[in-house]
Amino acid sequence: MTSNLINTLLVLSVLLVITINLSYFCTKETAHYSVVKDSRFSIENLTRSITITTASHTTPSSLIPPFIPFRSTFVTSPKYSLAACRIQKNLSTILLNLFCYLNTPRKFSRKASSLTIEFKNYLSQETCNATHATHIATNTTFSTKLAIIRDPVERFLSGFVDKCIHEAEHKDSRCYGCHKNMICVLKEQYIRFQLIAEAKLSSFSYEDRHFAPMSWFCDFDHETIKNYKFLYFGETEEQQGGTINELMDVLDDHGVDNSTISHILEELSANRTKHSTSGSAIRMKVGQEMRKNAEAMRLLYLIYENDYKVFNLKSPFAQT
């Protein structure tokens, strides 16, 4: 069989798969896929890059790549020369509250009762001092730039229980209407992350923001990632206590007074955010089922394996 014939058969196979996928997307509720009618979803545009790839005899990795530009938000405290990147499901609510308290302690204390609750209905982002500042990764104003990371699969599991089970009880459309079906959610996310990585999907969903690889946040790339101080958030109480203590050390190094640190430490040690699922019975049950499901682990591997490599974390996946 000649090389040209092989290439032709490969292209025809890819076209068939794309046609099936397009039919799949168009049958979903349009509210979930706001860009389905975009010209970028035409057969011509979707197949152009694949045809070029086939012609050059290269096969792209099936792993979701790291360092894709994504939605990044930061909290800053110019007074203490301190900034932090907020990654969803990695203490993002606590970081928002903490920096608001550092910047406006009196206003915060009057309007919000706890550092572990969401207070956005009480205090504006402007009051809290540029909580959505951008380009912090290369900003030399801040001597320390924090980012909190955790095991990627545990982060997904936490998000799945919080968003696809708890929140889905009141919002049928949450998690693409998959009705607590993890495989359904993972398949949806894998397809969407492929499209985002290829710059073919510009509208990010609520679920995208909570399940996207950590290496997509914070304006990370091969160079800017070196500018961050990382705190690892584990799954046990002991590990989480250690992270809180490390965070207090950072505040102390930046000149935050002892009474403020003591108050923050007391708040974070005594309370949990409403989004926390760590240690819950349902989290343990869903986690056990997930690890026994070969298809779930395969999809998790495809989505998050590069996060394990980027952040030098021990991967739970067998070599495939």
Side-chain angles (χ1 to χ4, degrees):
M1 187 177 292
T2 67
S3 176
N4 288 338
L5 180 57
I6 292 174
N7 286 338
T8 301
L9 290 174
L10 284 172
V11 171
L12 289 174
S13 299
V14 170
L15 286 173
L16 177 60
V17 171
I18 290 173
T19 302
I20 294 172
N21 282 338
L22 284 174
S23 174
Y24 166 77
F25 269 103
C26 293
T27 57
K28 301 294 287 184
E29 293 181 32
T30 55
H32 300 151
Y33 299 97
S34 58
V35 296
V36 166
K37 296 181 181 179
D38 195 297
S39 61
R40 287 170 294 179
F41 280 79
S42 67
I43 288 289
E44 179 184 359
N45 284 336
L46 282 174
T47 57
R48 182 180 295 117
S49 62
I50 296 174
T51 302
I52 293 172
T53 300
T54 304
S56 61
H57 305 285
T58 60
T59 303
S61 171
S62 55
L63 296 179
I64 297 299
F67 304 134
I68 299 300
F70 195 65
R71 177 182 182 267
S72 294
T73 61
F74 303 83
V75 282
T76 66
S77 182
K79 176 181 178 180
Y80 297 110
S81 187
L82 185 62
C85 171
R86 298 177 63 226
I87 301 175
Q88 266 72 22
K89 300 310 299 177
N90 291 16
L91 303 185
S92 60
T93 298
I94 284 177
L95 285 176
L96 179 64
N97 294 4
L98 171 60
F99 275 74
C100 188
Y101 180 71
L102 289 176
N103 293 327
T104 58
R106 293 181 180 178
K107 290 182 179 180
F108 186 94
S109 297
R110 287 200 302 268
K111 297 293 185 179
S113 60
S114 171
L115 289 173
T116 56
I117 64 169
E118 288 187 272
F119 60 90
K120 58 187 176 184
N121 292 331
Y122 302 103
L123 293 175
S124 68
Q125 293 173 2
E126 290 75 15
T127 300
C128 290
N129 196 353
T131 58
H132 286 265
T134 57
H135 306 301
I136 297 300
T138 55
N139 190 318
T140 58
T141 303
F142 305 99
S143 58
T144 297
K145 303 174 184 69
L146 285 175
I148 296 176
I149 60 171
R150 69 191 296 185
D151 182 277
V153 168
E154 293 295 338
R155 173 174 169 263
F156 169 80
L157 180 59
S158 175
F160 180 81
V161 172
D162 181 32
K163 308 303 175 187
C164 304
I165 295 180
H166 293 159
E167 290 187 11
E169 290 181 359
H170 308 289
K171 298 180 181 180
D172 291 339
S173 61
R174 185 67 82 228
C175 294
Y176 314 108
C178 285
H179 305 294
K180 304 180 183 180
N181 185 324
M182 184 181 290
I183 301 300
C184 173
V185 173
L186 284 169
K187 286 181 177 179
E188 292 277 355
Q189 287 300 167
Y190 181 61
I191 292 171
R192 291 180 65 84
F193 290 154
Q194 284 181 311
L195 293 174
I196 292 172
E198 296 167 6
K200 294 173 182 173
L201 187 62
S202 59
S203 178
F204 304 147
S205 70
Y206 176 81
E207 293 79 6
D208 291 336
R209 297 197 301 271
H210 286 86
F211 297 135
M214 293 183 293
S215 58
W216 287 17
F217 290 85
C218 309
D219 297 333
F220 286 143
D221 60 33
H222 290 286
E223 292 301 319
T224 60
I225 198 169
K226 301 174 186 176
N227 299 334
Y228 281 87
K229 176 180 178 61
F230 291 104
L231 300 182
Y232 179 78
F233 185 71
E235 304 306 317
T236 68
E237 288 189 11
E238 182 179 0
Q239 290 172 327
Q240 293 170 4
T243 304
I244 292 173
N245 288 333
E246 286 186 67
L247 181 57
M248 297 307 102
D249 289 341
V250 172
L251 298 181
D252 183 52
D253 291 342
H254 281 259
V256 179
D257 63 88
N258 290 334
S259 61
T260 299
I261 292 177
S262 295
H263 173 69
I264 294 171
L265 179 60
E266 181 180 358
E267 279 282 315
L268 299 188
S269 298
N271 301 298
R272 296 152 61 99
T273 71
K274 69 177 184 179
H275 301 296
S276 176
T277 65
S278 181
S280 66
I282 189 169
R283 165 81 176 269
M284 294 176 65
K285 179 177 184 294
V286 174
Q288 289 172 352
E289 293 173 351
M290 175 189 74
R291 291 178 179 85
K292 293 178 182 177
N293 190 307
E295 178 65 1
M297 295 305 290
R298 184 186 72 85
L299 290 165
L300 288 165
Y301 165 76
L302 293 175
I303 295 172
Y304 296 117
E305 176 64 10
N306 273 320
D307 259 7
Y308 283 99
K309 295 177 181 177
V310 166
F311 297 105
N312 195 28
L313 300 173
K314 184 178 180 180
S315 172
F317 306 112
Q319 289 297 110
T320 59

